[in-house]
Amino acid sequence: STGNVRPLPAHKCVLAAASPYFQAYFEGPWSQLEGHENGIWKTEVPRPLMKAVLTYIYTGELMEPILFAPETLAETLSVAIQYQLEDLQSLTEGCLQKGLNLENVKDVLLLANLHNATGLKSACFAFIGRHAAKAMFDPSLMSLAVEHPDLWTELSRSVIGESAPKASRSVIGESALNAVPHRRETWRFFTFPAGKRLFFAFFPCCHGWNKKRENA
């Protein structure tokens, strides 16, 4: 139930059996809070999506297209994680992985990072590593260096680990990534394959690199 919207009927025992979240909710003190009495459970999930989730819980079948429509996949994953529906989460992550492309990989990576979905995050890293020659030159993806520097560092290390020879990775790659006294005025680098050769691309972390070059 959400506000004044017509409630969706469901059995507490079915929900509790499907999810640790619901089990704790209906058996714990939260069910006695004001507005939650008499078996009423409130959610901000849109009614069509919540109805589809309940259908999946009851049948175990993917009968509702809304669950895996491209425009609702991210929300389906959020619902599955929030309500600890592990099977639905796994299916949703699988759909997101299959649909990865250069246009959506950043959004999916941010979604995975937000929900700490390690499997989906690893799939994004692997995809970027396979398409590094294009992906890592994309201004949108490169903006992670400023917007989410920790995630950018994790991505850079992953790309180095996937594509660089072991010696290059340990001697050059790690030292370059770790020797960063000030994030605003340092360079990050990674390697990726171009045919049979490896070549290096250097990118600034933040805006301070221009000033550093001018003073050099």
Side-chain angles (χ1 to χ4, degrees):
S1 175
T2 306
N4 296 321
V5 176
R6 182 164 53 93
L8 292 166
H11 298 88
K12 290 193 291 184
C13 59
V14 174
L15 297 181
S19 159
Y21 173 92
F22 288 118
Q23 182 179 12
Y25 180 88
F26 289 120
E27 295 180 359
W30 300 277
S31 61
Q32 304 304 318
L33 296 176
E34 183 179 356
H36 294 254
E37 306 93 338
N38 302 319
I40 295 177
W41 168 67
K42 293 185 177 181
T43 177
E44 297 300 322
V45 178
R47 192 177 195 277
L49 181 57
M50 196 66 231
K51 181 181 178 181
V53 171
L54 290 176
T55 299
Y56 174 77
I57 289 175
Y58 269 81
T59 66
E61 299 178 3
L62 305 177
M63 301 173 63
E64 302 286 347
I66 189 175
L67 287 177
F68 299 105
E71 62 272 16
T72 56
L73 262 178
E75 195 165 12
T76 300
L77 178 62
S78 298
V79 172
I81 292 174
Q82 180 181 354
Y83 299 130
Q84 297 178 276
L85 300 167
E86 295 182 359
D87 290 343
L88 183 59
Q89 177 183 346
S90 179
L91 289 169
T92 308
E93 288 188 15
C95 288
L96 287 167
Q97 291 179 27
K98 291 179 181 178
L100 283 175
N101 55 55
L102 293 173
E103 286 70 37
N104 69 13
V105 67
K106 178 186 176 182
D107 291 335
V108 177
L109 177 58
L110 289 173
L111 180 69
N113 191 58
L114 173 66
H115 293 296
N116 196 28
T118 55
L120 184 58
K121 182 190 284 189
S122 296
C124 291
F125 286 168
F127 178 88
I128 293 170
R130 292 194 301 271
H131 301 84
K134 292 183 178 179
M136 297 300 277
F137 281 102
D138 177 35
S140 176
L141 191 63
M142 289 174 59
S143 68
L144 286 174
V146 177
E147 298 168 358
H148 301 275
D150 292 338
L151 181 60
W152 173 259
T153 299
E154 191 176 353
L155 170 61
S156 301
R157 290 183 185 279
S158 176
V159 172
I160 290 173
E162 289 291 331
S163 58
K166 184 174 182 180
S168 174
R169 188 164 67 239
S170 59
V171 176
I172 305 175
E174 293 300 323
S175 61
L177 282 171
N178 290 328
V180 284
H182 299 289
R183 180 171 283 154
R184 288 182 55 84
E185 298 189 17
T186 55
W187 296 73
R188 299 291 174 97
F189 90 99
F190 54 87
T191 63
F192 51 89
K196 294 184 179 180
R197 291 185 176 182
L198 288 172
F199 62 94
F200 298 86
F202 293 80
F203 296 104
C205 279
C206 295
H207 304 295
W209 72 285
N210 284 323
K211 180 177 179 181
K212 184 177 181 180
R213 291 184 62 188
E214 292 171 0
N215 295 334

